[in-house]
Amino acid sequence: QVQLVESGGGLVQPGGSLRLSCAASGFTLDNYTITWFQQRPGKEREEVSCISFSDGSAYYADSVKDRFTTTKDNAKNMAYLQIHSLKPEDTAVYSCAATRLSSITVARRPHSDRFYDYWGQGTQVTVSS
């Protein structure tokens, strides 16, 4: 069974922090890049961060780079997205996807769904007081 599964979402207060997880099973992430996507209500899915599991290079969209941190754990075959100082506008479904492209290639080229071999189902983050 080859799949990606996100977890860690939920209802949080503004100003708080949250760590999302992306767990891979059925394959190893060692030669992949994991991209985190954000889909706000009524809007298109957007790439917000990506990280290479081969060399650790990570990249961020300008809109999130001051508050989001992407990390990886090759031994656990997992990626993480740490979100600090949560804002209501962070409310979205967050999902991860795996591609054999390098993270720098993902960061610099226009997005295409065809880059990705595997997709997670997403986890809901709701930021509200």
Side-chain angles (χ1 to χ4, degrees):
Q1 198 79 23
V2 176
Q3 61 181 8
L4 295 174
V5 178
E6 302 92 341
S7 62
L11 177 63
V12 295
Q13 295 183 336
S17 297
L18 198 64
R19 189 180 77 161
L20 308 180
S21 299
C22 173
S25 60
F27 73 108
T28 177
L29 290 174
D30 289 352
N31 295 308
Y32 282 83
T33 291
I34 285 290
T35 297
W36 285 98
F37 294 87
Q38 177 191 68
Q39 188 165 20
R40 296 173 176 173
K43 298 183 180 179
E44 296 290 321
R45 181 186 294 114
E46 297 183 359
E47 296 173 309
V48 294
S49 185
C50 61
I51 185 166
S52 169
F53 272 70
S54 62
D55 65 14
S57 299
Y59 301 89
Y60 302 89
D62 290 341
S63 60
V64 306
K65 64 176 59 178
D66 57 333
R67 297 184 298 111
F68 287 31
T69 302
T70 301
T71 56
K72 67 180 181 69
D73 189 330
N74 290 73
K76 294 182 178 180
N77 214 31
M78 297 181 67
Y80 306 93
L81 183 66
Q82 184 79 34
I83 310 176
H84 305 280
S85 302
L86 281 156
K87 303 176 180 179
E89 51 262 44
D90 296 325
T91 295
V93 172
Y94 290 83
S95 59
C96 61
T99 175
R100 296 298 296 265
L101 296 176
S102 68
S103 58
I104 192 169
T105 296
V106 172
R108 292 182 177 179
R109 296 186 180 182
H111 168 77
S112 173
D113 285 355
R114 295 186 178 183
F115 293 165
Y116 296 94
D117 296 327
Y118 308 110
W119 292 82
Q121 83 291 344
T123 185
Q124 175 72 49
V125 172
T126 302
V127 184
S128 176
S129 60

